[in-house]
Amino acid sequence: MAFDPVQEDYEHMVLRFCQSEASSSVSEAAHELQDFGTRYAKERDSLPQKDSDRAFHLVSEAALIIDYRLPFAADNAVDDLVTKAQKLLSEALVLDRGNLDAQRMLAAAQSNTFEGYYRYLLEHEAEAKTTSEKMAEEAKTATSEEERSLICRLALAPYLRWIAAEADRALICGHYRQSIEFAKKAIRLDPSDEAGAHLTAAYALAKLEDANGFTDLLEYVQHESLPRSAWLDIANISIDFRLGFIDEARVGLRHILERYPEADTVLIQQHELPDGVYSRLPVETGSEDELILAVSEAAVLLQEGRDSQERGTLASWIASEVPALQAQTGRRGTLSHQGQKGDGR
C-alpha cells in the first residue's frame, strides 16, 4: 500500500524497452529481457527512453533524498540535500512540464503553510487529472494487454499520489470530511489502494468519532483482502477511547503490543517523523517500521488536547497503559529508529 519510486522508475524503463525492442520469438524475447537488466543496472543511459522517462528518474532520485535520507540526515547536511533535491525536481520539469510528481513535490517545498500547500493541490487537481488521462492515451497503441495495463497504471499513479496528498493535507488542516472524500476518490480509481488513502481516511474518521464510517472502512478492507494495519488499529483505539469504551480501547492496545516488535517503546515514545513527500513510505506489514510510521502519522489523534507535559489526552493514556499491559504480554524492547519531529501535527 505504498509507491516505491525506484520500482516505478524501473517499470517506466521496462515499458519503453519493450516498446522499442519487438521480439520475433520467445527465445529472442528472453535474451532481450536479460540484456535489459544488465544495461539498466550498469548503463541506464544506453536504454531507449523519452524525456518523460528521464524526468521520472530525476524525480525518483529526489524522492530518495527527501523521503529516505533527509529525515535522518545530520543538521549540517540538511541544506545541501534540500538544494540537491529541488534542483533534481526543477530539472525534471525542464524535461517534462507535465510531470505531476515534480510539480507537487516542488509546491510542497515552496509552500509556507500546510493550508497553502493544500490549496495548491485543490486548485491544480483538475489539471493533474487531465495530464494523467493524456498519459493513459498511449495505451491505445499497446500491442498487448500486459503493455496496456502497465501504461494505464503508470499514468494513473502520479494522480493517485496527488489525491492521496490532498487527503493527507486535508486531515492535517482539520478538513476531516474532505479528507475522507479524497480518500474515497482514490479508492474508486484504484480499489487496491496502492496510495494507502484508506489509512488516512481511518484517522479522519477517528477525528470525527465516526464508528459507523469506520465499520464501513473495515468492510472495504476485508472485501479487498487488504492487511489489517497499525493505522486501523490505532484509529479503532482512538474511536473507542473517545466514545468512552475504555476496556475495548485497552484490548486494541494489547493487540498492538502482541503483534508488533518493540511496540511498547514505540507507543511510549511516540516519535514524529516527517511525512513522505513522494508518497507514504513502503513498510512491511506487521513490522516495527509500520508501527513507527503509523504512530507518527497518528499525532493528529494523539496530541489533541495537549497538557502541560505537551502530550494529548490519548497520548498520555496510551503511555500510562502500556507499562501495565506489557507486563501482561511479557514484551519489552528498544526503539531502533531515532525519530525526529515532523510537521508538528
Side-chain angles (χ1 to χ4, degrees), residues 201-229:
Y203 284 177
L205 289 164
K207 289 293 290 187
L208 293 171
E209 300 176 8
D210 186 350
N212 291 331
F214 186 71
T215 297
D216 292 340
L217 182 66
L218 292 180
E219 290 177 357
Y220 150 74
V221 169
Q222 184 176 14
H223 181 268
E224 295 296 328
S225 299
L226 301 179
R228 174 65 184 245
S229 69

Side-chain angles (χ1 to χ4, degrees), residues 42-63:
K42 298 180 178 181
E43 300 176 321
R44 187 184 189 279
D45 289 342
S46 72
L47 290 168
Q49 54 193 296
K50 296 182 178 180
D51 281 348
S52 59
D53 303 315
R54 296 184 179 89
F56 188 86
H57 180 63
L58 295 175
V59 168
S60 71
E61 290 188 327

Side-chain angles (χ1 to χ4, degrees), residues 17-54:
F17 183 78
C18 292
Q19 289 175 335
S20 63
E21 301 286 335
S23 303
S24 59
S25 68
V26 174
S27 61
E28 183 181 347
H31 174 75
E32 288 172 355
L33 186 59
Q34 183 180 20
D35 177 59
F36 168 81
T38 301
R39 291 169 62 187
Y40 179 82
K42 298 180 178 181
E43 300 176 321
R44 187 184 189 279
D45 289 342
S46 72
L47 290 168
Q49 54 193 296
K50 296 182 178 180
D51 281 348
S52 59
D53 303 315
R54 296 184 179 89

